[in-house]
C-alpha cells in the first residue's frame, strides 16, 4: 500500500512503508547539462541522490526522508501494539487493580489515538521534505505531492479509535456495592459451611420396601 504520490517529476511515483523495511544504501550520480545563454555556455552538473533498497532504486529520497519513513514504521507498530493491548484487556477482564485502572480509563485507546495523530504529523513532514529535496535537485520542474491510501487508512483508524475511546470514557460506571445494616447482619450470622451441613449418621434408616 502506497503512502505518497509524486507527480510532475522524474522521481519515483509512489512511496510506501514496505519499501523502507530493508536496509539499503545511498548512491549519488551527476548528469552534466549544457545551457546556452547569450553571453556563452554554462555547463551544470547536478548531484542526484538515489536510494537502493535491494529490489528497486528510489530517486529523490534523501536521508531525512528515509529517517521520517522509518519513524512512520515505528509509530504504526506502536499503534498496533496499543490496540492489541486494549483488545486483550477487554477480552480477559483483568482482576488486578492496576490493569483494571488501565482498562477503565481506556489508556490503550488514548495511546493509539495519540500515535495516530503523530503518524499524520510525520506524514506531513515527509511531504515537505520530499518537496524541498525535489526542488533542490530540479528547481525548474513543477512538482506535486499527494497522500495515498496508507495515510487515509491510518487517519480513519485514528478517528475510529477516538470514537471508541469517547464511548468507553462516557459510559456509566458500575454501581457501588451496598454495605448496609441488613448485609452486615447476614454476614455476622453466617458461621461457616458447617452451619448448612447435616449429620447423615443421626438420621433414622428408611422404612423397609413393601411391594
Amino acid at each position: 500500500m502506497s503512502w505518497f504520490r509524486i507527480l510532475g517529476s522524474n522521481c519515483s511515483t509512489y512511496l510506501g512503508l514496505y519499501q523502507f523495511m530493508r536496509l539499503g544504501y545511498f548512491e549519488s550520480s551527476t548528469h552534466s547539462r549544457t545551457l546556452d545563454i547569450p553571453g556563452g555556455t554554462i555547463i551544470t552538473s547536478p548531484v542526484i541522490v538515489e536510494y537502493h533498497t535491494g529490489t528497486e532504486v528510489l530517486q529523490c529520497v534523501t536521508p531525512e526522508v528515509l529517517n521520517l519513513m522509518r519513524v512512520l514504521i515505528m509509530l504504526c507498530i506502536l499503534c498496533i501494539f496499543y490496540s492489541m493491548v486494549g483488545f486483550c484487556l477487554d477480552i480477559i477482564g483483568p482482576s488486578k487493580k492496576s490493569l483494571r485502572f488501565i482498562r477503565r480509563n481506556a489508556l490503550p485507546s488514548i495511546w493509539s489515538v495519540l500515535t495516530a495523530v503523530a503518524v499524520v504529523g510525520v506524514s506531513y513532514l515527509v511531504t515537505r521534505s520530499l518537496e524541498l529535496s525535489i526542488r533542490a535537485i530540479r528547481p525548474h520542474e513543477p512538482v506535486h505531492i499527494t497522500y495515498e491510501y496508507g495515510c487515509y487508512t491510518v487517519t480513519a483508524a485514528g478517528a475510529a479509535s477516538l470514537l471508541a475511546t469517547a464511548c468507553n470514557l462516557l459510559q456509566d460506571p458500575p454501581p457501588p456495592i451496598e454495605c448496609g445494616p441488613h448485609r452486615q447482619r447476614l454476614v455476622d450470622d453466617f458461621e461457616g459451611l458447617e452451619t448448612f451441613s447435616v449429620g447423615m449418621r443421626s438420621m433414622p434408616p428408611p422404612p423397609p420396601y413393601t411391594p
Side-chain angles (χ1 to χ4, degrees):
M1 181 182 294
S2 59
W3 280 60
F4 306 99
R5 186 178 182 183
I6 304 174
L7 301 175
S9 179
N10 294 328
C11 301
S12 302
T13 306
Y14 295 97
L15 291 180
L17 297 184
Y18 66 93
Q19 297 171 322
F20 300 89
M21 292 291 186
R22 300 180 180 180
L23 295 177
Y25 61 93
F26 286 96
E27 185 178 12
S28 59
S29 59
T30 58
H31 299 277
S32 300
R33 293 182 180 180
T34 303
L35 299 177
D36 295 329
I37 60 176
T41 303
I42 298 177
I43 299 176
T44 60
S45 299
V47 178
I48 299 177
V49 179
E50 298 176 345
Y51 180 70
H52 296 258
T53 62
T55 57
E56 57 182 328
V57 179
L58 302 178
Q59 297 182 357
C60 303
V61 175
T62 60
E64 183 180 0
V65 175
L66 174 63
N67 293 332
L68 290 175
M69 294 296 285
R70 288 180 175 173
V71 169
L72 283 178
I73 295 173
M74 181 188 67
L75 291 176
C76 290
I77 294 174
L78 284 178
C79 190
I80 295 173
F81 173 74
Y82 293 147
S83 300
M84 290 300 298
V85 169
F87 176 77
C88 293
L89 290 178
D90 291 337
I91 293 297
I92 297 174
S95 58
K96 290 185 178 181
K97 186 176 181 180
S98 59
L99 296 179
R100 284 192 286 110
F101 175 81
I102 293 175
R103 178 174 178 266
R104 186 183 304 114
N105 294 278
L107 294 184
S109 299
I110 295 175
W111 297 335
S112 299
V113 171
L114 295 178
T115 307
V117 173
V119 168
V120 175
V122 175
S123 299
Y124 172 75
L125 294 179
V126 171
T127 58
R128 294 294 300 169
S129 181
L130 282 173
E131 184 178 358
L132 292 176
S133 63
I134 294 173
R135 292 189 183 279
I137 298 174
R138 301 179 176 90
H140 302 290
E141 294 183 4
V143 60
H144 184 63
I145 302 173
T146 60
Y147 298 104
E148 280 294 315
Y149 297 107
C151 295
Y152 297 140
T153 302
V154 172
T155 304
S161 182
L162 179 61
L163 181 61
T165 303
C167 294
N168 196 3
L169 292 176
L170 296 178
Q171 65 180 354
D172 295 333
I177 300 176
E178 298 181 358
C179 296
H182 300 286
R183 180 180 178 86
Q184 186 66 30
R185 185 166 60 252
L186 291 175
V187 173
D188 294 339
D189 294 340
F190 180 70
E191 298 178 356
L193 295 177
E194 62 273 6
T195 306
F196 302 97
S197 62
V198 180
M200 299 298 294
R201 295 181 180 180
S202 60
M203 295 180 62
Y209 173 74
T210 56

